[in-house]
Amino acid sequence: MNVEEISIKIQDMTIRGAGRIARYAAKALKDYSETFNGQSQEEFILGLDKAAARLISTRPTAISLFNGVQITIRGAKESSDLNSARDLVIKNADAFCELSNSAYDKMASYGSNLVQEPNMMAITICNSTAAISVIKAAFQAGKITGVYACETRPKNQGLITIRELAEAGVPVTLIVDSAMRYVMPEVSIAFIGTDSLESDGSVINKIGTQVLAATARDFEVPVYACAETYKFLPPSKAGQRVQIELRPIEEIIAPEDLPENVEVYNPVFDRVHPSLITGIITEIGVIRPSEVSEISEKYLEGI
Ligand code: RI2
């Protein structure tokens, strides 16, 4: 698939998940470099910048998309000639996808060790490959006995989660989002995904995650965000807040079912205050929200 085809699929969420959209963006830029048939490095760079802007425009909240694109195009402008620039983009794209895919096993190992007492129930929301990797490892290590998965209105990504966990043999129970407080007394640990980690340690994740984290606090349940380092806001955006994406009302209600003079509001991400986050599971270890800036400077230098 080319840049435009992948952009459309990220936009309509055929391709979704903060890690996956970043990998597909890198693959799109690799495709651009492999199929470029122009004559000059200047023309190549102009097209690369246009492709990067198109991909970044598709979804505003997951900083993984911006970081994945920047990591992939890094150094192309400074390359000595056209072929070096093309080869570098291809190499960067492959390296980014390798880093992204290899992060899951590392996070799974760190995350699984966090579960102290055996026979614990976990809870999660939406469909996070990172969180599911940790949950699977915790179950295989005998650390948890099962998971509550929130269906996650309006697009019900939780239905993907229950399928993935069931296929992995993890006992999973589907609940409606508003039942998360009802079940929290039975829960011992929460694992959530991450779309972006802001400089103060705020975790941006699927809508409903604030409710989950605040409820967990009320029942003294630790909340761990699962976030690869490329989901941290980069130094160039330090101190900024990501835009919370508003999506089409059709994701909530069919227009023909909507009475006149009724508005629909569909914010699809939440900002979770760092005080509600016990720790952040990354591929380099488990860190505190207060360490986010330092990690960003170290692992996203120049982005
Ligand atoms: P992984 C998803 O967003 C969810 O918010 C999920 O928690 C987050 O991305 C991270 O997903 P959407 O694409 O990278 O469903 O862990 O809007 O798979």
Side-chain angles (χ1 to χ4, degrees):
M1 288 186 287
N2 66 29
V3 168
E4 188 55 26
E5 288 164 336
I6 287 178
S7 296
I8 290 167
K9 287 180 180 297
I10 293 173
Q11 224 152 350
D12 71 16
M13 292 181 68
T14 305
I15 296 172
R16 52 150 298 280
R20 190 175 297 107
I21 64 176
R23 291 191 295 272
Y24 268 90
K27 289 173 191 171
L29 294 168
K30 177 178 177 180
D31 176 77
Y32 166 76
S33 299
E34 288 175 335
T35 59
F36 177 77
N37 57 16
Q39 300 310 314
S40 73
Q41 184 176 359
E42 184 187 7
E43 185 188 351
F44 173 72
I45 294 300
L46 274 175
L48 187 68
D49 286 346
K50 190 170 167 228
R54 175 68 181 108
L55 288 159
I56 289 169
S57 75
T58 56
R59 296 193 72 193
T61 306
I63 200 69
S64 54
L65 185 57
F66 173 85
N67 287 341
V69 166
Q70 298 307 324
I71 289 166
T72 299
I73 67 175
R74 182 162 46 183
K77 280 194 182 71
E78 294 74 29
S79 296
S80 55
D81 57 45
L82 172 58
N83 285 336
S84 307
R86 292 176 63 178
D87 291 346
L88 181 61
V89 170
I90 292 165
K91 176 171 155 282
N92 288 349
D94 288 343
F96 175 75
C97 289
E98 169 54 31
L99 174 139
S100 175
N101 284 316
S102 66
Y104 295 124
D105 286 345
K106 295 169 187 165
M107 296 163 81
S109 165
Y110 289 123
S112 169
N113 292 330
L114 289 168
V115 188
Q116 301 309 324
E117 304 83 43
N119 305 324
M120 296 167 84
M121 277 296 279
I123 191 167
T124 192
I125 188 169
C126 201
N127 175 243
S128 160
T129 307
I132 286 174
S133 301
V134 171
I135 288 167
K136 283 181 188 174
F139 176 72
Q140 283 148 14
K143 302 288 190 70
I144 57 173
T145 51
V147 188
Y148 283 111
C150 301
E151 68 174 352
T152 316
R153 286 273 293 146
K155 287 187 75 71
N156 296 336
Q157 290 96 321
L159 301 185
I160 305 169
T161 294
I162 61 171
R163 191 175 66 244
E164 291 177 347
L165 287 176
E167 283 168 0
V170 181
V172 56
T173 303
L174 176 66
I175 57 171
V176 295
D177 299 338
S178 39
M180 60 174 93
R181 190 169 187 95
Y182 185 88
V183 304
M184 202 58 80
E186 302 161 43
V187 172
S188 305
I189 194 163
F191 292 117
I192 61 173
T194 304
D195 290 85
S196 294
L197 253 179
E198 294 176 334
S199 309
D200 63 349
S202 293
V203 170
I204 309 297
N205 195 49
K206 190 50 52 190
I207 192 78
T209 307
Q210 275 198 86
V211 175
L212 185 149
T215 302
R217 175 207 46 207
D218 294 349
F219 289 89
E220 297 181 353
V221 170
V223 177
Y224 288 94
C226 305
E228 302 88 320
T229 51
Y230 65 85
K231 291 175 183 172
F232 288 43
L233 245 61
S236 64
K237 292 178 177 290
Q240 293 181 20
R241 294 291 184 191
V242 299
Q243 176 189 333
I244 300 293
E245 182 181 9
L246 299 179
R247 289 190 63 85
I249 67 165
E250 288 77 5
E251 292 184 358
I252 294 180
I253 185 170
E256 60 271 21
D257 296 336
L258 189 61
E260 280 199 30
N261 303 322
V262 173
E263 297 296 321
V264 181
Y265 186 41
N266 186 18
V268 294
F269 290 104
D270 247 340
R271 175 170 287 108
V272 183
H273 193 272
S275 63
L276 296 177
I277 302 294
T278 310
I280 299 155
I281 303 167
T282 77
E283 73 277 21
I284 57 166
V286 183
I287 66 166
R288 291 183 301 276
S290 57
E291 297 177 273
V292 165
S293 270
E294 175 194 336
I295 298 294
S296 166
E297 281 160 21
K298 183 173 177 186
Y299 288 88
L300 294 170
E301 185 183 0
I303 299 291

